[in-house]
Amino acid sequence: GDQSIAMKLLEECLQLTKEQSELSLERAGILFDKGDLHLDLNDFGMALQCYQESFKIKMQKIGQSPAVVSTLLKIVRLHRIEENWEEALSFVKKALDVTERVYGENDDRVGDVLFELADIQFKMSRYMEAMNMFSDCVDFRRKQSSNSQPDVAEALEGLGKVHLEMGDYEKAYQCLVEALEIRQATMEQESPDTATTFHLLGVIERKLGDYER
């Protein structure tokens, strides 16, 4: 099919660039595209190998740059898929550092990587670290946009989930109610995100044993 033809073409391109230079930016770009194709095919091991090789070349040739940020985030995504949490954590920390250096500490993309870092901490059951990172993400996103923005709701929901896991149901409830209010003001009522928030609030209501709030 089209994907097998695309893979063959990319492999031929890699062979040509290898003969010219194994450290060319053109080769790094081809490796990145090949990683994307492997990712589409759910061949996660090969995708990771391509992205890592692309990352190494980019770091050597151009250093910290938008291209390096995007490659790091692809590597993080693959480690998340494979549930290699320590590796995901290591690379997302690198991604945060490079993102701040490349785009500046107040860029919206910093908030996105902060959220990613907090969520990985949460998946690793490192709840105190996750709580601190989600709190930072909420504060960051509030400064970057009005409180009615969906990305603020996303961070609030993350923080609420941490409080829920830690057994602090009142704080969890407060975070999730605020997230719900933002989402109801900015999204369709039937939005999957809104439904998720409703579900989490229902879980908290059962935990509290308070059905008359």
Side-chain angles (χ1 to χ4, degrees):
D2 291 343
Q3 289 178 318
S4 62
I5 293 170
M7 187 68 74
K8 185 176 179 181
L9 289 170
L10 287 169
E11 287 170 354
E12 289 176 358
C13 290
L14 280 178
Q15 187 58 40
L16 287 171
T17 57
K18 186 174 183 179
E19 292 169 2
Q20 297 164 7
S21 170
E22 290 196 18
L23 292 176
S24 71
L25 284 176
E26 182 182 6
R27 181 176 178 81
I30 295 166
L31 282 162
F32 187 90
D33 291 341
K34 189 167 182 279
D36 280 348
L37 187 52
H38 281 299
L39 185 57
D40 290 342
L41 294 168
N42 294 328
D43 187 352
F44 303 131
M46 285 301 299
L48 181 60
Q49 185 177 320
C50 289
Y51 290 136
Q52 286 177 327
E53 191 175 342
S54 177
F55 167 68
K56 289 175 184 175
I57 294 171
K58 289 170 182 173
M59 282 300 291
Q60 288 187 49
K61 297 295 288 186
I62 54 176
Q64 295 171 339
S65 61
V68 166
V69 172
S70 61
T71 310
L72 279 168
L73 291 175
K74 291 281 190 177
I75 293 170
V76 171
R77 180 182 174 189
L78 280 162
H79 283 306
R80 285 188 62 123
I81 290 170
E82 298 281 76
E83 297 187 356
N84 298 325
W85 297 115
E86 290 290 350
E87 288 294 316
L89 182 62
S90 174
F91 277 97
V92 80
K93 286 180 177 178
K94 292 177 185 176
L96 180 60
D97 179 61
V98 179
T99 302
E100 288 177 339
R101 292 172 185 270
V102 170
Y103 297 110
E105 293 183 356
N106 296 318
D107 190 270
D108 287 348
R109 283 161 284 207
V110 173
D112 295 338
V113 185
L114 271 174
F115 181 89
E116 188 80 10
L117 175 54
D119 195 51
I120 289 170
Q121 297 277 24
F122 178 71
K123 294 290 195 301
M124 296 174 76
S125 301
R126 296 182 177 180
Y127 298 130
M128 286 302 298
E129 293 94 333
M131 181 177 67
N132 291 333
M133 294 306 304
F134 276 126
S135 294
D136 289 346
C137 188
V138 169
D139 291 343
F140 182 91
R141 286 178 165 178
R142 284 197 203 279
K143 291 174 185 174
Q144 296 302 104
S145 60
S146 72
N147 285 351
S148 63
Q149 294 302 309
D151 58 356
V152 177
E154 179 187 49
L156 281 164
E157 182 173 283
L159 183 57
K161 286 162 68 177
V162 177
H163 285 307
L164 177 59
E165 287 295 328
M166 294 177 73
D168 195 340
Y169 303 131
E170 290 290 346
K171 286 184 179 178
Y173 190 89
Q174 291 168 11
C175 289
L176 290 165
V177 165
E178 188 175 354
L180 181 63
E181 289 172 351
I182 294 170
R183 283 177 167 160
Q184 287 180 319
T186 58
M187 296 181 174
E188 295 293 331
Q189 188 69 26
E190 295 79 16
S191 157
D193 289 335
T194 303
T196 298
T197 311
F198 270 121
H199 171 71
L200 289 168
L201 283 167
V203 170
I204 294 169
E205 292 281 8
R206 290 195 299 276
K207 296 281 188 182
L208 288 169
D210 178 7
Y211 301 98
E212 298 178 358
R213 185 181 295 273

